[in-house]
Amino acid sequence: MRLTARDDRVGHVVSQFRVDGDGWQTYYGWPTDADAPYRFTPGGTVIDDLVYGKLGKTRAVPWDDASPDYGTHTIEYRTIDSAGNVSPPEKFLATLLEAATG
């Protein structure tokens, strides 16, 4: 996922996102490369002992439950401008499917 904040006025804008109605997170790109998109995966990606990008139930540290949450997840995103105005959230759906067997 890549978010690009825009405003019709001069000033700093911040993009935020949340997964399945959980808390809003500020979007910085990918933790190891600010120019790379944010990556969602079934178990998340461990970077410096923190976990990023797990779809479904939050996994903040490597010892949390890494079980995939198969199904459809809602990713919402919004922008906050330098005056503190918050845009109405928009959303997209991401579906995590189990690998086919056989």
Side-chain angles (χ1 to χ4, degrees):
M1 166 186 78
R2 183 182 309 273
L3 299 176
T4 304
R6 291 184 175 88
D7 193 13
D8 60 355
R9 307 251 182 204
V10 175
H12 186 70
V13 291
V14 174
S15 294
Q16 294 183 323
F17 71 97
R18 67 179 177 181
V19 178
D20 294 335
D22 200 7
W24 289 99
Q25 300 177 53
T26 299
Y27 175 81
Y28 298 105
W30 190 242
T32 57
D33 181 357
D35 294 324
Y38 197 85
R39 299 175 193 111
F40 292 105
T41 63
T45 301
V46 178
I47 300 172
D48 295 333
D49 294 324
L50 295 174
V51 180
Y52 299 88
K54 182 182 182 302
L55 277 174
K57 181 182 173 195
T58 302
R59 179 181 178 218
V61 291
W63 53 87
D64 282 345
D65 180 14
S67 302
D69 289 332
Y70 296 109
T72 300
H73 302 278
T74 302
I75 292 94
E76 296 174 277
Y77 56 96
R78 67 184 185 184
T79 299
I80 302 173
D81 69 12
S82 57
N85 299 308
V86 180
S87 69
E90 295 189 37
K91 67 180 178 180
F92 65 90
L93 303 176
T95 302
L96 181 59
L97 303 173
E98 291 188 60
T101 58

